Amino acid sequence: MVLEVAEIKITPGQEDAFKEAYRAAREFVKVSPGLRSMRMTQGVENPGRFVLLIEWDSVEAHEQGFRETDRFPKWREAIGPFFAEPPFVEHAVDID
């Protein structure tokens, strides 16, 4: 299992619109093979900072099962207009 961590900074004043767009667009991701769980968090001290946490079976499940499909451009089209800058995305694994 790998954890995708995406830090997303939203243009000030667009937080509520981003949340609505995310709620509608998350279905593009949720149907991906190899997806285990998905959640979005919003900063308390900095409400324009969101962190997307997705558990995948593998990095390949993320990249090939989602990013290389026609669902990824639809996802980005829905939420991308709210980005203040490109998201920072990386993968992590648990330490036993």
Side-chain angles (χ1 to χ4, degrees):
M1 190 274 303
V2 297
L3 177 66
E4 173 193 357
V5 180
E7 181 180 8
I8 304 168
K9 294 181 181 173
I10 300 303
T11 302
Q14 295 295 306
E15 296 86 359
D16 288 340
F18 171 74
K19 289 188 283 189
E20 288 180 32
Y22 164 75
R23 288 181 184 116
R26 66 184 165 196
E27 296 306 316
F28 295 124
V29 183
K30 283 190 166 190
V31 298
S32 299
L35 182 133
R36 294 183 179 199
S37 69
M38 176 178 182
R39 70 188 261 214
M40 179 75 76
T41 65
Q42 182 179 16
V44 173
E45 292 81 11
N46 181 356
R49 180 179 179 266
F50 291 79
V51 178
L52 175 64
L53 303 164
I54 303 179
E55 290 182 322
W56 297 96
D57 286 341
S58 64
V59 172
E60 294 76 22
H62 174 212
E63 293 178 352
Q64 296 167 5
F66 175 60
R67 289 190 68 116
E68 293 179 10
T69 71
D70 63 342
R71 294 184 316 278
F72 180 70
K74 293 174 185 175
W75 160 256
R76 287 301 290 262
E77 182 180 328
I79 65 170
F82 304 101
F83 296 169
E85 59 189 57
F88 175 75
V89 180
E90 64 183 0
H91 297 97
V93 295
D94 289 339
I95 298 173
D96 294 332

